[in-house]
Every structure is written in structure tokens, then in C-alpha cells.
Amino acid sequence: MNHISNLHRVLSEKHFAVTAEIGPPKGSDKNIIIHKGEMLKGYADAYNITDNQTAVVRMSSLAGSTLLLKLGLDPIMQLTCRDRNRIALQSDILGASAIGIRNILLLTGDHQSMGNHPQTMGVYDIDSIQLIQIARNMRDEGIFQNGEEILRGKPDIFIGAVANPFSTPLEARIIRLEKKIEAGADFIQTQSVFNLNRFQEWVDTIRSLGLDKKVHILAGVTPLKSIKMMQRMRFHVPGVDIPDEIANRIENARDPKEEGYNIAIEILEELKKINGIHGVHITALFWEDIIPKLVKEVNLYPRP
Amino acid sequence: MIITKRKQLDHILEKTKGSRVFIAGCSECATLSHTGGEKEVLEMKDYLEKNGVTVTGWAVLDPACHLPNTKRIFREKLVEDTDKILVLACGNGVQTVRDALPDKEVIAGLDSLFLGEIIHLSEFERRCNLCGECIVDEFNGICPIARCPKHMLNGPCGGSQNGRCEVNPEMECVWDRIYKRMIENGGRDQLRKIIPPKDWSKSLEMVIR
């Protein structure tokens, strides 16, 4: 069978997948991406390059993904609706495919008011679900959003989307996931999991609807690096649920960094056991060098 | 109604100091917004005079955006000895006053915020962005274009938490409201429908004759 990307292959062969996030630098220094890519090579199946995450200007995801390709890594290019209209989004999908980027993760994006240019105008011409449908139609039907035919070269892409199991109400989240699947999502990366009970509840609902058979679900994991970082995620990152128990463990630990690592190991071990979860997506914010150790310790190394 | 908010008084003073100023309010939206009715026009006159600005006169236009009416009022009111017209009306009112008085400088005294509902006397909420093609009935009478900062048409974004918006936790997530109203009214199937991209070209209308 022909696989679109390494990630597609790993998931199709029913391995438990590992993806890792690489945040591009606030600058044009390509060595940052190259260094992180080399450090993480072999420890994940594909690598997300974020698209100006939290609405802070950084090197573009298209450029970052291209740098990873040169290292022989399988990038997951993130693309948000915040900064581009449907013309630019479709153009970037074509461009990414032309370069050889095979995984594209489509999302609405964090609102610009949270970033470092809060005075900018957000685009939001279309939302993530519409973008997923557009990308799928470009690939499978060979048509643009306006119905016109793609003249030369349909994009060859594996389509990703995100889900937040911790937003409320749960039923609204499930309906949105169903819509993303219907629109054409091939794989889903979730918000980082800290609250395993609520995550389990979300997975149970998904499984009862058979959604885990229709899409590959990768659960998000973030090792907490410090008390400050935990608090920032807990109180300032939208949609993150860090329960009291986890917060207390970090706050009361002799070495919060070590405790953060231990918690991440426990969460990874639990996630590996959950039926319906097809892999993990590790986002180690400003702590990417911990990923090899984490992956080894939970026996997800070597990668298939 | 067009909801307006008065600009900072310092800013208005900066723009008007050393000039002879006529103040124009509006009988409609700015009156109901408590930003450009007779009361606010007279308060502004008082403020400017106390700060050394010469106020040559005032009027409450009926309404400011009505070009024939505005021209008529300015025929009745003397504005010849005036340098600047301070307009306490929406952005439309400012332009209409300028059209009615081609040789006068206009100063915008208000910021135009949104088309909104009067919830109580002094409480207003955004309801419409004048996007050109009304799709409110797709969402049980609640507009996600106007009321969601990301224009989400297919459900709440991942930042919606406990019915609050990620942009400002003081704000409700309008999708939480749409969701609850649709569930109450048996609209689950409607919630499952993928709403296609919006046709923004409808918002390009400039003139109706």
C-alpha cells in the first residue's frame, strides 16, 4: 500500500504513533529548527511545526516544515485560519504539497488578542471545519473551494485536525469532532491531557459512537517544566485542564521539573492502555530535549 | 442600533483647542447610546468652554445621517463663524455633516463600536456586523459572525470553557448559547450540519439607488 507520509504509514500499520511538536524560533535562524530536528530524529514518527502559536510571530510553518524535510523528517505543517483567507490557505496547501510536506494540521488558531500583535485584524474568513473540507476536496475531488478544477497536481496530503476533550459541554465537543471527521480529518491531535478522568470520559463517548474507527486519535502530552509554566498553562492557555492534584504535586515537589517529568511518564503509560487511542502527541514547550528520554522510558523507542 | 462610545476628553480637547467649535449631536442612536443626545451635547459644551474652547453653537441633528435634514438644520443654525464641527454621532453622522458643510473641518467625538441591542437603559450588546448576507436563522436567531470573535460557524472553538469566551472570560461564548438553545428546541441535527464558507462578497454593496 502506498502511504502518503511516514505518519500515515505508522498509523495504517496500527503502530502506536508518536508525534512531537517543534516550535519555530522568533527569528530567521534556521539552526534552531535544525538542532531540534536532529535532536528528536528517530524519537517520533512526525513532527508538528506550529503556525505562529498563541498568535506570536515566529518563523512560518511552511519554512520550518521545509527545513525538517531536508533532515529527512516527516513534518506536520500546522495551518490556521486566523491569519489567512481561503485564497492564501489553499495556496499554502498546494505549495506545501509541492515541496513534499505530506501532513497538514488544520485549525482555527488562537485569537490574535492573546498574542504579541493584539492590534492586528484577524482574518477568520473560514473556520477549521470548512478548511478541512476544502483540503479534502482539493485532494480527493481535485477542486478548489469555489468549485473550479485544480489544473495541475492535486495536493497529496494526510489531513490532521485538533480536538479539545476538556472544553464544555462535552456533547458540543463530540459533535464538533464528528463534523471534523465528516469534513475529512484523517487524524486528530488532542489538547494536552492532565485530567485522565475527563479524558477517559471523552474517549468512552467517542468509542460508543465508533469514532475511533473512523479517525486516528493521538492524545496530547505536555511535561510540565516548572511551577511557573504549569501556572501559565493552567490559568492562561485556553482550554487546558490541569486538575488540583497535578497542580499540587508540581507546587509541592522538591524538584518541580523532575515531578513534571514523572507526571508525564504516568500519563503516557495510562494513555498507552486506553482503547481507542492510536498514539501520543508530545508538546514539550521549551523543553524539547526531554522528549528522547520520555519516549525511551515508556518503551516507545525505537520507532517503527 | 449603532452603539457609540465617547472618545477621551483629552483627545477631543486636543483636537478642538484654539478653535471656534460647533457641537452636533444626533437624535437617534447617539441619543439612545447616551453619547450624543441633547444632554451630552450640553455637557460637552460646558466642558469645552471650561477649558477655554469657544463654542459657537450646538444642535441635535435629526438624525445626523439624514443628509437633507442635516443640511436643513445647518441652514437654520449659524455656523459661519465656526472653524470646526465636533460631531457626537456615529461615523456616518460625521461624514454626513462634512457633506452638508463642505468648507468646515469635522472632528469625530465618538467611536462607532457595533450594531447592538439595548439590553437595559445603558447596557448594550453587539448583535450585527452588517456582513451583507443574513444567516442568523441557521443558528436559531443568534449570530456567530457578530458575536464570536473567530466567526466560528460550525461550533465552539477549543478555547470555550464553562460557557466563557477565550478572548475575554467576562464574555459569554456565543456558541454555548447557540448550542443550548438548539438542544432545547430539538435542533441536534442542525448542529451536526456542516455550514459552508460564508459568501463575503455580499458585504461589498456600497450603494443602493
Side-chain angles (χ1 to χ4, degrees), chain B:
Chain B
M1 190 183 69
I2 296 162
I3 307 300
T4 46
K5 190 177 166 189
R6 199 197 64 218
K7 286 178 181 282
Q8 292 292 322
L9 286 171
D10 291 356
H11 169 87
I12 294 173
L13 193 58
E14 182 69 25
K15 289 265 188 178
T16 52
K17 70 179 176 198
S19 311
R20 298 172 62 78
V21 178
F22 184 96
I23 305 171
C26 174
S27 63
E28 298 284 344
C29 306
T31 291
L32 290 167
S33 281
H34 314 296
T35 51
E38 184 173 324
K39 178 171 171 278
E40 295 79 25
V41 166
L42 292 173
E43 281 168 3
M44 182 62 73
K45 176 176 179 287
D46 193 42
Y47 169 79
L48 291 178
E49 284 175 346
K50 275 188 183 140
N51 285 280
V53 176
T54 307
V55 177
T56 60
W58 62 275
V60 175
L61 305 172
D62 191 21
C65 57
H66 195 304
L67 184 61
N69 281 5
T70 294
K71 278 183 172 167
R72 181 179 51 75
I73 288 179
F74 280 121
R75 269 198 301 274
E76 292 161 7
K77 296 265 178 184
L78 274 181
V79 290
E80 273 128 54
D81 58 344
T82 293
D83 308 318
K84 295 180 180 176
I85 315 289
L86 172 62
V87 186
L88 301 183
C90 70
N92 188 156
V94 180
Q95 295 177 66
T96 304
V97 169
R98 180 64 182 73
D99 289 342
L101 300 168
D103 58 343
K104 300 293 177 197
E105 185 181 334
V106 285
I107 306 293
L110 308 181
D111 288 320
S112 304
L113 302 182
F114 50 78
L115 211 61
E117 183 171 278
I118 305 174
I119 308 288
H120 295 298
L121 197 56
S122 295
E123 195 183 321
F124 313 105
E125 281 185 15
R126 181 189 291 264
R127 289 290 181 268
C128 177
N129 279 10
L130 301 173
C131 69
E133 182 187 37
C134 196
I135 52 172
V136 166
D137 55 6
E138 296 270 1
F139 308 98
N140 217 321
I142 302 174
C143 181
I145 295 291
R147 298 166 70 177
C148 166
K150 297 184 183 174
H151 302 164
M152 304 290 288
L153 294 186
N154 283 290
C157 79
S160 168
Q161 198 67 267
N162 303 320
R164 301 280 105 189
C165 173
E166 77 166 30
V167 170
N168 175 1
E170 309 262 294
M171 231 155 71
E172 74 165 344
C173 167
V174 74
W175 264 102
D176 201 70
R177 181 176 286 225
I178 293 172
Y179 173 82
K180 282 178 185 148
R181 195 185 273 185
M182 281 194 162
I183 294 292
E184 271 168 29
N185 298 335
R188 241 186 206 83
D189 290 344
Q190 180 70 3
L191 282 168
R192 289 214 164 83
K193 194 175 115 186
I194 295 179
I195 306 289
K198 188 169 163 54
D199 179 359
W200 296 102
S201 73
K202 303 275 173 65
S203 67
L204 291 176
E205 291 288 349
M206 291 288 171
V207 180
I208 293 186
R209 290 199 205 281

Side-chain angles (χ1 to χ4, degrees), chain A residues 86 108-109 111 113-114 124-127 129-130 133 164 166-169 171-173 175-176 178-179 238-239, chain B residues 149-158 160-162 166-167 176 179 188 191-193 195-198 200:
Chain A
R86 66 192 81 177
T108 304
H111 194 264
S113 61
M114 331 239 246
Y124 307 111
D125 171 26
I126 54 176
D127 64 28
I129 288 175
Q130 294 163 345
Q133 198 166 47
N164 188 352
F166 309 103
S167 286
T168 55
E171 195 185 352
R173 310 316 309 178
I175 291 174
R176 239 177 109 69
E178 287 178 302
K179 284 169 86 164
Chain B
K150 297 184 183 174
H151 302 164
M152 304 290 288
L153 294 186
N154 283 290
C157 79
S160 168
Q161 198 67 267
N162 303 320
E166 77 166 30
V167 170
D176 201 70
Y179 173 82
R188 241 186 206 83
L191 282 168
R192 289 214 164 83
K193 194 175 115 186
I195 306 289
K198 188 169 163 54
W200 296 102

